Amino acid sequence: ITTPTLRYIEEDSADSPQQPAGPCEVEWQWSTGFPSLANDRPIRTVTMKFTTAILTVALIGVSFSEAFCPTSLPSNARVTQSLLSSSTADVDVAATALPADFQAARDMAHESLVASLPTPALEKPLTYFLDEYMMALSQAAANGSKNPDGSDITAQQAAKSMMTALGYGVKFGIKDKFIFEDVRHKALRGPKGDKRYEDPALAQKLGTEFDVDFYEAGCAFFRPSIDIEKSVVLGQDNLKKALEQIKAGENVVFLANHQSEADPQVVSVLFDSISEEIGQLAADLTYVAGHKVTTDPLAVPFSMGRNLLCIHSKKHIDADPETKPAKSRQNMSAMNSMLGGLKEGGMSIWVAPSGGRDRRDVDTGKIPIAPFDQKTVDMFRLMGNKSKVPTHFYSMSMVSYDLCPPPDFVEAGVGEQRNVRFTPIGIAIGEEIPNIGGAEKRHLFSEKAEETCQQGYVDLLKELGMESYIP
């Protein structure tokens, strides 16, 4: 994935998309109807040329929380966009047609979506996400990938999964916004065995989704877009050692690089592929989460299904000086809550010490790991020591960039453009990081953790045939 490319598919008209008419503020309304599939319709393709400068403008994400610019597209047009290179030269823009069944399902889903919108202004970002997902799952189907029960991946499955995800996003991210009131959020997986569901307030929040397992819903959404057959998990012996330490009542912290919004689902899908017991470890993991995953409308329902420590990352805490004191207090509260969990023992934590996702180098197309923040690593070591319970640290190298490529540059707001690709992914668990450095040379521990993560990352890229991404 290296050059910005726009793929434009047109059925009847040669009209090009019109320019945005201007900003406007909108409200969101939603209906959940999903029509049956219509007859297949023929598609003809057109080839266009755009300069990278034009494409840069076209690829700017639209925030759900801010004003939208309405864009008028031909009613029968499908637009998909891919980040495929950073070249400044002109690039050919060619259409890639969906298979007939996926095109029909996509069209019906799109019609249902558009009919539910109060203004065409909201159509563009959601249509883009729909097109990305349908293309990814059509490639999975063509590849012969299967669902966990052995059934085929189908167009109807793709459309239903996307419309369900959008429905959850609208309900819990916009209309009846779900507030993560506790800094330590526990996954919402349905009422069985969970006394929280006896609280009428939670029942009112969830409404008709009272019985939904949001953890499994998130996994089910991303699992079909992962080429599991070609994916890899390295360092499984180290992972099994960590599991035994957790079972013995000790704590484990995974210091990871972070590449995509789907990283929690990446962990779950790959751990599930090893064994049921390792899969349960993925479900039990507590993720240190920044503000975007608890405030972005599309991210909220996926976050509802995860154990989270809700914090504000170092990269974004200074974005608004007026709210910095409140953010700092929340972070302190989150650390105190984490300390309580560590004192109980048997806690497993996933944290990205970089404070954010790895970003592509737009000049080279390579994807370096974002540097670890030593103070973050020091904080987790301090909490482990204060807990008086043995706490072990492992690096977790992740290759998941192509699954959901993030924007090339850090954005403080929410509502970024969503990309989805059918691709293999990888995780490497390094050996336990030795307790080196002491109080005087704490940087040695952080450097060792980052070095181990870097080596695992390179090993993964080589194993996956993605050497071009190696920095």
Side-chain angles (χ1 to χ4, degrees), residues 60-75:
I60 294 176
V62 181
S63 173
F64 284 94
S65 63
E66 301 171 355
F68 287 82
C69 289
T71 301
S72 175
L73 297 177
S75 61

Side-chain angles (χ1 to χ4, degrees), residues 253-282:
V253 178
F254 294 102
L255 302 173
N257 67 305
H258 181 22
Q259 294 211 317
S260 82
E261 284 189 304
D263 279 349
Q265 287 74 36
V266 166
V267 173
S268 294
V269 171
L270 289 189
F271 280 20
D272 281 341
S273 70
I274 299 173
S275 70
E276 183 177 351
E277 193 173 34
I278 295 292
Q280 186 59 48
L281 169 58

Side-chain angles (χ1 to χ4, degrees), residues 2 20 51 92 143 148 155-156 170 208 250 298 306 331 338 345 386 422 434:
T2 51
T51 64
D92 285 322
N143 185 66
Q156 291 88 345
V170 170
T208 55
E250 300 174 357
L298 286 179
R306 294 285 160 172
N331 284 0
M338 180 182 71
K386 289 183 68 175
F422 175 66

Side-chain angles (χ1 to χ4, degrees), residues 186-215:
K186 183 179 178 182
L188 294 170
R189 305 205 56 183
K192 185 177 180 180
D194 191 338
K195 292 185 177 180
R196 291 177 301 164
Y197 282 78
E198 299 174 4
D199 183 356
L202 180 59
Q204 184 176 4
K205 282 183 180 180
L206 297 180
T208 55
E209 282 68 44
F210 183 79
D211 293 321
V212 171
D213 182 344
F214 287 95
Y215 173 88

Side-chain angles (χ1 to χ4, degrees), residues 197-469:
Y197 282 78
E198 299 174 4
D199 183 356
L202 180 59
Q204 184 176 4
K205 282 183 180 180
L206 297 180
T208 55
E209 282 68 44
F210 183 79
D211 293 321
V212 171
D213 182 344
F214 287 95
Y215 173 88
E216 180 51 38
C219 293
F221 181 84
F222 280 108
R223 189 183 289 113
S225 62
I226 296 172
D227 189 348
I228 299 176
E229 290 290 325
K230 295 181 180 177
S231 297
V232 296
V233 181
L234 304 179
Q236 293 190 28
D237 288 342
N238 299 328
L239 181 57
K240 292 172 183 176
K241 177 183 176 183
L243 176 62
E244 291 304 315
Q245 290 166 335
I246 295 168
K247 290 166 62 177
E250 300 174 357
N251 303 311
V252 168
V253 178
F254 294 102
L255 302 173
N257 67 305
H258 181 22
Q259 294 211 317
S260 82
E261 284 189 304
D263 279 349
Q265 287 74 36
V266 166
V267 173
S268 294
V269 171
L270 289 189
F271 280 20
D272 281 341
S273 70
I274 299 173
S275 70
E276 183 177 351
E277 193 173 34
I278 295 292
Q280 186 59 48
L281 169 58
D284 293 339
L285 265 174
T286 295
Y287 290 82
V288 179
H291 75 286
K292 286 189 177 183
V293 302
T294 57
T295 56
D296 187 292
L298 286 179
V300 165
F302 292 95
S303 300
M304 289 166 65
R306 294 285 160 172
N307 300 318
L308 302 177
L309 278 169
C310 303
I311 66 165
H312 294 275
S313 72
K314 183 179 178 181
K315 287 185 177 181
H316 300 296
I317 198 169
D318 295 323
D320 182 4
E322 292 185 2
T323 60
K324 183 176 180 179
K327 293 175 181 177
S328 297
R329 287 193 297 272
Q330 179 179 329
N331 284 0
M332 183 61 68
S333 178
M335 290 298 101
N336 288 335
S337 180
M338 180 182 71
L339 178 59
L342 293 172
K343 286 181 177 180
E344 294 172 2
M347 187 177 190
S348 55
I349 298 173
W350 182 101
V351 60
S354 65
R357 286 168 289 178
D358 303 335
R359 307 285 171 163
R360 179 176 67 112
D361 186 322
V362 297
D363 294 322
T364 66
K366 298 181 182 301
I367 306 172
I369 286 180
F372 283 14
D373 176 58
Q374 181 189 324
K375 291 183 179 179
T376 298
V377 177
D378 287 347
M379 174 62 72
F380 280 82
R381 291 186 74 195
L382 175 63
M383 293 294 102
N385 289 334
K386 289 183 68 175
S387 73
K388 306 300 183 183
V389 175
T391 301
H392 309 273
F393 291 82
Y394 293 82
S395 67
M396 181 186 290
S397 310
M398 303 195 66
V399 171
S400 60
Y401 183 95
D402 284 352
L403 180 62
C404 299
D408 286 328
F409 304 100
V410 176
E411 300 173 355
V414 298
E416 68 182 50
Q417 178 174 276
R418 261 62 185 205
N419 306 289
V420 185
R421 308 284 187 268
F422 175 66
T423 182
I425 54 177
I427 288 178
I429 307 298
E431 294 183 355
E432 183 174 352
I433 302 168
N435 186 16
I436 59 175
E440 299 298 324
K441 297 182 178 180
R442 294 190 301 274
H443 65 281
L444 294 179
F445 183 89
S446 179
E447 290 170 0
K448 180 64 175 179
E450 183 173 352
E451 176 188 327
T452 305
C453 191
Q454 289 275 9
Q455 185 57 57
Y457 180 63
V458 171
D459 292 343
L460 283 171
L461 291 175
K462 290 179 178 178
E463 188 77 18
L464 292 166
M466 300 179 180
E467 290 90 343
S468 61
Y469 288 165

